[in-house]
Amino acid sequence: DGPQIIPVTVASQELGLESPAATQPELAEVDSEHGIVPQPRRLVRVEGSYFRLAERAHVKGPGNLTTLLGHFNELTSLALEQDHDAEITLLHASLADEAYRLHITPQGVEIAAAGPAGWRHGLVSLAQWYLQHGESLPCIEIEDEPRFNLRVIHLDCGRHFQSMASLKRLLKQMSLYKFNRFHWHLTDDEGWRLEIKAFPALTEVGAWRGHGLAVGPQLSGGAARYGGFYSQAEARDLVQYAANLGIEVIPEIDIPGHCHAAIKALPDLLVEPSDHSRYLSVQFFDDNVLNPALPGTYQFLNQVMDEVCELFPSTLVHMGGDEVPHGVWTDSPACQALMQQQGYRDIRELQGHLLRHCQDYLAAKGRQMVGWEEVLQGDKVGKEAIICAWTSFQAGLDAASQGYPVLMAAAQYLYLDLACNDNIDEPGLYWAGTPNLEQVYSCDPAPADFHANDNILGVLSPLWSELVHTRDRLDYMLFPRMLATAEVAWSLPSDKDWAHFCARLPGQLAILDQQQVRYRTPQR
Ligand code: TNX
């Protein structure tokens, strides 16, 4: 009497139900322990039938599939190969860019999409299904596409250096949850991590701390120091590795604040000796801000932007802009002269002045500047700049209302460096609260009644690394909250359900176990 179809989740309008609550019993009934994260728009299980996925199954499809299959094989440790006689087929369909349809039948697998982005998402869903079920795959039908175009994970490599191996591991994990951008925070007060050929001192001096201290690894010459940096060859390698997983790398050079390491490395260029301004940054630095009136600042930045654009093909380049401390530039003769010359009244216009220069410089190279929300201070940065709203969702809604494209990064929900409860031994910062898994999961960056939702491009979840000094700690802070973020970024609010997510979590944690990820065991 034919296979029985059980809808695992269906948008409430499809069911013709008015109240979203009415869909919930439906969701709770199914055996959803084995599901997909992020939740697809539509997932239908065809009860009682299975497809056997062989280790060396064949795949056919348009063009050369080497990269896509390489990605799938890396996620699953299978060895799929392209061949015209195949049980897995990739098909063209006129769907949105990232949309896909995945059908698993007893005879084979079909993935339909407009092109590689959609096929990749289909293959990733297939990979998750395989990682949970093994070679005997329950038959399903999925129709899916993302809510937001930009789904971003950020990692701070300035406060603590993170090895290339850790970064590649993170990229692979991100790809399993359909994130498509990696925001690489490469510079901060505590370290400058990217080799810049024009200024070797940036990494010879600025990538290290603890010179001569009697702790830490003993390096050649007997001096103990901590740190590290990425050579340009390594940066290129990471960009390529990420691209093969469908992820674009957005580099960040954080200016004008958070520049302690750069200033210590290049004092001749970046310090105005007669500047007697006094200030203290949130993280207690009194010498960490570039001077927007010094020719050396522009010489430095232009060269850095040149090399960054050479290394990173992404059209998006992040220039920071956050947390410039109060009191800076007030007693700088050069800044006073610049203010007078430009007719500026508010000292914050100097920050806008510098960032506007960067925006124009990048635009001339065909790049779009991204910045933390403070780039709006001083009112100079043009509406093409993408604003990363981090202090609250409201800050993002305000920027979107003004016409700026926005990435939502509200700390209260999306900061992966915050502790997830108030227990004394729970690691993490707590300045913006202690968001637990459910709070992260339940947030909505673009409320349905907001008038400028078109300006909300996506979701950015940062992991700041003041307290992230080992790989285990990295895993612990990322997981499982990163799975909740993935669903915030990908799934429609009407397809999100906390109980259903909890039911799908064990299947995902089992995948993370297979990959030796030391996630935080969630407690309800
Ligand atoms: C604020 S978010 C910062 C970072 C810190 C973080 C700690 C932002 C743009 N700046 O410098 O690492 O808080 O949570």
Side-chain angles (χ1 to χ4, degrees), residues 186-260:
L186 281 160
T187 70
D188 216 300
D189 292 314
E190 294 85 346
W192 181 284
R193 305 292 179 207
L194 180 65
E195 177 189 21
I196 298 292
K197 302 268 190 206
F199 302 113
L202 281 172
T203 43
E204 280 167 8
V205 176
W208 305 96
R209 38 176 162 149
H211 253 295
L213 291 182
V215 292
Q218 291 296 321
L219 300 178
S220 58
R225 54 181 195 168
Y226 164 79
F229 66 91
Y230 309 101
S231 70
Q232 295 205 345
E234 286 173 323
R236 284 207 169 85
D237 177 42
L238 199 79
V239 165
Q240 188 55 54
Y241 182 85
N244 289 343
L245 304 179
I247 296 171
E248 193 175 278
V249 180
I250 304 172
E252 181 185 353
I253 303 296
D254 195 357
I255 64 134
H258 290 286
C259 277
H260 177 79

Side-chain angles (χ1 to χ4, degrees), residues 28 42 55 65 69 90 106 137 151 208 213 231 253 262 268 315 330 413 451 456-457 466 489:
R42 180 167 169 276
E55 190 190 336
L65 305 177
L69 299 186
L90 307 188
L137 297 180
R151 304 175 300 277
W208 305 96
L213 291 182
S231 70
I253 303 296
D268 295 345
T315 51
T330 45
Y413 300 94
H451 66 99
I456 299 176
L457 305 184
E466 286 97 326

Side-chain angles (χ1 to χ4, degrees), residues 159 258 283 322-323 372 390 415 417 429 431 464 466:
R159 270 57 179 269
H258 290 286
Q283 288 93 1
D322 58 316
E323 295 184 322
W372 300 108
W390 63 277
Y415 267 32
D417 63 318
L429 298 179
W431 65 269
W464 298 98
E466 286 97 326

Side-chain angles (χ1 to χ4, degrees), residues 97-116:
D97 210 25
E98 292 194 273
Y100 68 94
R101 280 198 306 263
L102 167 67
H103 287 187
I104 305 178
T105 69
Q107 290 73 43
V109 177
E110 272 185 14
I111 300 173

